[in-house]
Amino acid sequence: MAAAPDLVILNGKLVTFDPARPRAEALAVKHGTITAVGATGEIRGLAGSATRVFDAQGATVLPGFIDSHVHLFGGSVELDYLNLYGVEGHDALTEAVRAEAARSDDRVVFAVMAAYDILGPGRQTTRQDLDRVLPDRPFAMFAPDHHTIWANTKALELGGILHGGETDAGAEIVMAPDGTATGELREPGAYKPVLRHTRHGGRDMEGLVTGADPVPAPGPADRARDKAAIARGLAHCASHGITGLHNMDGNFYTAELLTELEAEGKLLCRTEVPFHLKSFDPLDRLEEAAEMRRRFSGDWIWTNRVKMFMDGVVESRTALMLRPYPGTTHVGDPVFGADHFTEACVRIDAMGLQIATHAIGDLAIRRTLDGYEAARRANGVRDSRHRVEHIEVLHPDDLPRFAALGVVASIQPGHAPRGHIFPAHGLDEVLHPEQIPMAFAWQSIRETGARVCFSTDWPVIQVDVMDSVKAAAAPLELPAPWTDQRQDLMDTLRSYTCDNAWVEFAEDRKGRLRDGFLADIAVMDHDLEAMDPEALDTARAALTVAGGRITWEA
């Protein structure tokens, strides 16, 4: 007689994404694997005296969510920083920051989620503004997209950049006519001198800022503090039904901390950590990517991808565009030169590694696709599943190239003006009217046959999956020239589960509720298909199971 399962989930509305059995009511789990999927009566009969029985009470049960674009270390750390989301105006900002300063003994009082127009529409934040907010201590705040930091005078002095300094390609310490910094620091190469003095010494951002390990090497106390922060972040992710993460910044240090957490039984989400190639890196540094792949190749922590940046973001006019921004002669800031990027793509593809490239502006997207196409010509066609991250402003001529080249569109629905999270008017002043119809063109891309995967880009927006599900399936209706890019609910859920398992080359063992697949499962507290789409963001995970282990229970 077969051994009884460890866990059975009954009375659910299972969305299995298994073509052989797309719907079911219940499932059984044993030794970290799904062992049976079927009707409630059938599965109940398998339970033994030691089996944990969970009643889904008619709610949706689906494969565990995989957030395919996160910054785990940074998101984890920022759970404890002052969050300025929704704060508007000098008085409200001052009240929030001074209250945080009274609580914090950090060298730099640091805040996150500061809107570009936090001091008012069209108002540029300066160091003098922030001096008035907090005059006696270093203070800095991150934009939601993490491409800009604003710092007061004391923070700029602490970072040694009050009078400017050297930056990487695509980065800028914005300078005033008097030869001092305005306080606006665009892109990691400009703001890293300030981050070095934050609570975690910038170690949480090193995988993004440099792609290398922290220098100096963290001591035991720093490692313990960093690991504890990541553990809290993983628990936070699990509470939203997430069982897998694709990190978008990485270094050996982050992967080592995750490996230690796995050994301690605290790695609650399967996590891929990429090698991050910066534009200033020699291409020979790709040998480190090969070493990361050799060292980290398990079911819970692995490396199989190289991350690169092609440009910045639209809001700060650092996204790379085919034509100048309205009222300017500026087309954005390339991070990689086109030839350099193409050479990198050819080398990485020849190594059999996947590529993920941040590309937001239409010229950045075109150059990224050009690089992937060149790799195919040089190395031959293979199942590479290379990714373009964000795809916010797309030229119509490049729309069919995703499907034609087998390139994955990696999209964050919550980033769009229609996504309910950021102001609906946020991009009107930085895009030309003719660019808008193909901005955030989720459905247009899907209809070409290209594979689409969804994610949050946490901590750019919160990691709560259902906020992004609502953004995709029930977006705001914006006036012309904005177009309707509404997503079908099943397409949305597939792009957060099954398709995200596929994009990590794991479609034969995860992303479906199927006998023999890994027991990564999310049980929701609502029947998602019965909900008013406008209310989807109120649904939550009732139970999260990763590798057969309960990692969250409401």
Side-chain angles (χ1 to χ4, degrees):
M1 182 176 178
D6 302 320
L7 169 70
V8 295
I9 297 171
L10 309 176
N11 298 315
K13 292 191 175 178
L14 272 63
V15 178
T16 69
F17 296 115
D18 179 6
R21 186 169 196 164
R23 300 285 178 158
E25 296 176 334
L27 58 79
V29 173
K30 181 72 175 177
H31 297 321
T33 301
I34 297 171
T35 55
V37 178
T40 289
E42 172 192 357
I43 301 300
R44 181 184 282 118
L46 301 175
S49 59
T51 300
R52 169 70 193 275
V53 178
F54 188 86
D55 187 346
Q57 302 181 57
T60 298
V61 182
L62 69 168
F65 292 111
I66 300 172
D67 195 323
S68 59
H69 187 125
V70 299
H71 302 273
L72 171 61
F73 197 174
S76 300
V77 164
E78 290 185 20
L79 291 173
D80 293 329
Y81 281 135
L82 172 64
N83 190 313
L84 296 174
Y85 183 75
V87 173
E88 298 179 359
H90 178 272
D91 291 347
L93 177 62
T94 300
E95 180 181 3
V97 171
R98 291 187 181 182
E100 176 68 11
R103 290 189 296 267
S104 169
D105 59 0
D106 289 346
R107 195 171 187 189
V108 175
V109 179
F110 197 67
V112 298
M113 297 300 289
Y116 276 88
D117 58 355
I118 193 168
L119 295 180
R123 177 84 156 76
Q124 299 293 316
T125 301
T126 68
R127 64 180 173 90
Q128 290 86 357
D129 293 323
L130 299 187
D131 290 345
R132 288 188 286 274
V133 168
L134 192 67
D136 55 345
R137 290 177 62 184
F139 168 64
M141 60 186 192
F142 240 146
D145 57 31
H146 288 63
H147 286 260
T148 298
I149 278 179
W150 296 274
N152 71 358
T153 300
K154 287 189 176 295
L156 294 168
E157 289 174 338
L158 183 62
I161 54 173
L162 178 60
H163 298 281
E166 295 295 323
T167 64
D168 308 327
E172 181 183 6
I173 300 169
V174 180
M175 302 300 291
D178 67 358
T180 63
T182 67
E184 183 175 350
L185 309 172
R186 298 176 179 171
E187 304 299 331
Y191 59 60
K192 61 186 176 184
V194 172
L195 282 182
R196 290 197 186 102
H197 301 284
T198 56
R199 187 176 304 166
H200 289 258
R203 296 183 300 277
D204 50 306
M205 296 286 288
E206 280 297 325
L208 177 69
V209 173
T210 70
D213 286 346
V215 177
D222 286 334
R223 290 183 72 95
R225 184 176 193 176
D226 295 345
K227 190 165 64 173
I230 293 174
R232 290 194 299 273
L234 290 165
H236 181 68
C237 291
S239 74
H240 292 291
I242 295 169
T243 59
L245 301 166
H246 300 171
N247 220 31
M248 283 292 144
D249 57 77
N251 49 21
F252 285 95
Y253 180 62
T254 302
E256 288 166 359
L257 294 180
L258 290 168
T259 301
E260 292 174 16
L261 287 169
E262 181 184 8
E264 297 167 7
K266 298 176 182 177
L267 186 57
L268 304 184
C269 304
R270 306 178 193 273
T271 305
E272 183 191 20
V273 178
F275 174 81
H276 191 158
L277 183 71
K278 303 294 289 187
S279 61
F280 50 76
D281 288 328
L283 294 186
D284 287 346
R285 191 165 174 249
L286 289 169
E287 287 304 313
E288 293 180 45
E291 176 62 19
M292 284 185 74
R293 179 170 55 181
R294 285 191 291 270
R295 282 183 55 184
F296 307 106
S297 59
D299 282 341
W300 285 86
I301 168 73
W302 72 99
T303 294
N304 191 48
R305 180 167 44 85
V306 173
K307 169 71 184 299
M308 293 185 283
F309 273 78
M310 182 56 79
D311 65 348
V313 293
V314 177
E315 290 83 349
S316 64
R317 295 175 174 83
T318 53
L320 189 60
M321 297 294 190
L322 286 162
R323 58 178 298 189
Y325 285 90
T328 77
T329 59
H330 181 59
V331 296
D333 300 309
V335 176
F336 272 84
D339 291 343
H340 184 192
F341 177 77
T342 295
E343 184 183 0
C345 288
V346 171
R347 290 271 295 268
I348 297 163
D349 182 75
M351 296 169 69
L353 288 162
Q354 188 182 39
I355 306 171
T357 304
H358 167 117
I360 282 181
D362 46 18
L363 179 54
I365 296 166
R366 178 168 295 177
R367 287 185 178 177
T368 301
L369 294 171
D370 288 347
Y372 294 171
E373 187 172 12
R376 281 166 64 106
R377 286 196 305 269
N379 302 323
V381 176
R382 69 178 183 90
D383 184 15
S384 61
R385 306 184 194 183
H386 296 325
R387 306 166 48 152
V388 183
E389 308 297 321
H390 307 307
I391 316 170
E392 294 188 1
V393 184
L394 178 65
H395 192 280
D397 290 351
D398 294 310
L399 175 62
R401 298 181 69 193
F402 288 86
L405 295 172
V407 172
V408 180
S410 175
I411 292 168
Q412 299 72 45
H415 285 197
R418 64 173 77 90
H420 303 273
I421 296 171
F422 296 126
H425 64 275
L427 300 182
D428 292 346
E429 294 182 357
V430 288
L431 294 180
H432 296 280
E434 59 270 26
Q435 291 175 309
I436 290 176
M438 287 298 293
F440 303 91
W442 317 321
Q443 186 61 19
S444 298
I445 295 171
R446 192 184 292 277
E447 288 171 356
T448 68
R451 193 69 70 115
V452 175
C453 62
F454 282 159
S455 56
T456 59
D457 199 7
W458 182 54
V460 171
I461 59 175
Q462 60 187 357
V463 81
D464 185 341
V465 171
M466 295 310 298
D467 282 357
S468 293
V469 170
K470 176 183 174 179
L476 292 171
E477 294 184 9
L478 299 182
W482 291 96
T483 58
D484 183 9
Q485 297 288 332
R486 184 180 308 268
Q487 301 285 283
D488 174 79
L489 177 61
M490 282 300 108
D491 283 345
T492 300
L493 296 176
R494 177 182 291 274
S495 289
Y496 242 122
T497 55
C498 181
D499 287 344
N500 278 345
W502 175 88
V503 80
E504 66 175 65
F505 298 89
E507 68 271 21
D508 60 342
R509 56 198 179 96
K510 70 172 81 164
R512 304 181 195 273
L513 302 181
R514 180 177 177 178
D515 184 6
F517 270 51
L518 296 172
D520 294 356
I521 304 158
V523 182
M524 305 305 292
D525 62 1
H526 284 71
D527 175 358
L528 301 182
E529 294 172 274
M531 295 182 74
D532 179 345
E534 295 290 338
L536 282 167
D537 58 334
T538 65
R540 292 290 183 270
L543 186 78
T544 307
V545 180
R549 176 171 46 136
I550 294 173
T551 55
W552 160 258
E553 185 170 3

